[in-house]
Amino acid sequence: MPIINTSEGVGGILNSFRGLVEGAKRITFVGTPGFCTPFAELLGFVVRDRELAFISSQDFDKARSIFKDYEGMQLGELTDKHADVVVLLGGLSMPKVGINPEKAKEVAKEILEGSENGKIIGVCFQSMFLKQKWDEIINFDYIINSDLAVEVMEV
């Protein structure tokens, strides 16, 4: 899998994402509730001029809108799940979540139904999609992978 771009930090993730979804009118994020939701909202901020939706792994049949209000990006009312781009978030691939890649692939296919040039983008940390071999099941167009370094300092 060739690396087409490298960057650092949250800005690097956001700028990379914005570049990959250029031209998309509708983007649907799929992830676990709680853990993935804030990442969908964060990524959604840089494309807030598009129609955005979030699907929770607790109910793949229901999509909720993501919208900007004065407090930032928020989940809203039920909406259509169909999109030009589906973003699978790495929390789905964590072993304790219990979602298999075949199910995620099926969900992505449903979301992209009717899209002429639909894309599947994975966004994960610490190579979760690769470690769990999701890239062998799902035909990702792109994977944004990031590593986290954590320092706790006593001052």
Side-chain angles (χ1 to χ4, degrees):
M1 197 173 299
I3 295 173
I4 61 169
N5 183 28
T6 60
S7 57
E8 292 183 11
V10 174
I13 295 169
L14 298 179
N15 289 328
S16 296
F17 178 71
R18 181 178 27 230
L20 293 177
V21 299
E22 190 172 320
K25 292 181 170 110
R26 192 162 168 79
I27 302 165
T28 297
F29 298 88
V30 182
T32 60
F35 186 75
C36 292
T37 312
F39 290 104
E41 293 169 344
L42 179 66
L43 291 164
F45 184 77
V46 297
V47 289
R48 59 193 173 277
D49 59 332
R50 323 290 171 84
E51 291 181 55
L52 305 173
F54 180 77
I55 295 177
S56 164
S57 62
Q58 297 298 308
D59 192 348
F60 287 121
D61 293 325
K62 292 183 182 172
R64 293 183 59 195
S65 65
I66 300 175
F67 69 97
K68 183 182 179 307
D69 74 1
Y70 64 94
E71 295 176 338
M73 303 304 284
Q74 306 289 319
L75 292 183
E77 301 296 321
L78 293 177
T79 190
D80 181 15
K81 66 181 173 184
H82 295 95
D84 307 315
V85 174
V86 59
V87 180
L88 299 177
L89 297 166
L92 292 169
S93 67
M94 293 170 45
K96 293 180 182 180
V97 172
I99 306 297
N100 64 50
E102 291 81 8
K103 179 62 179 174
K105 182 178 181 176
E106 177 186 313
V107 170
K109 182 179 177 185
E110 288 177 27
I111 292 167
L112 294 174
E113 188 177 76
S115 175
E116 290 182 28
N117 298 313
K119 290 181 189 175
I120 300 175
I121 298 174
V123 178
C124 65
F125 293 95
Q126 277 88 10
S127 304
M128 281 304 294
F129 286 129
L130 304 176
K131 287 178 183 174
Q132 298 302 320
K133 302 190 185 313
W134 279 43
D135 60 312
E136 295 177 12
I137 306 294
I138 298 172
N139 298 323
F140 289 104
D141 291 284
Y142 303 98
I143 295 176
I144 297 173
N145 178 54
S146 183
D147 289 309
L148 296 176
V150 179
E151 294 178 338
V152 178
M153 295 176 252
E154 185 175 9
V155 291

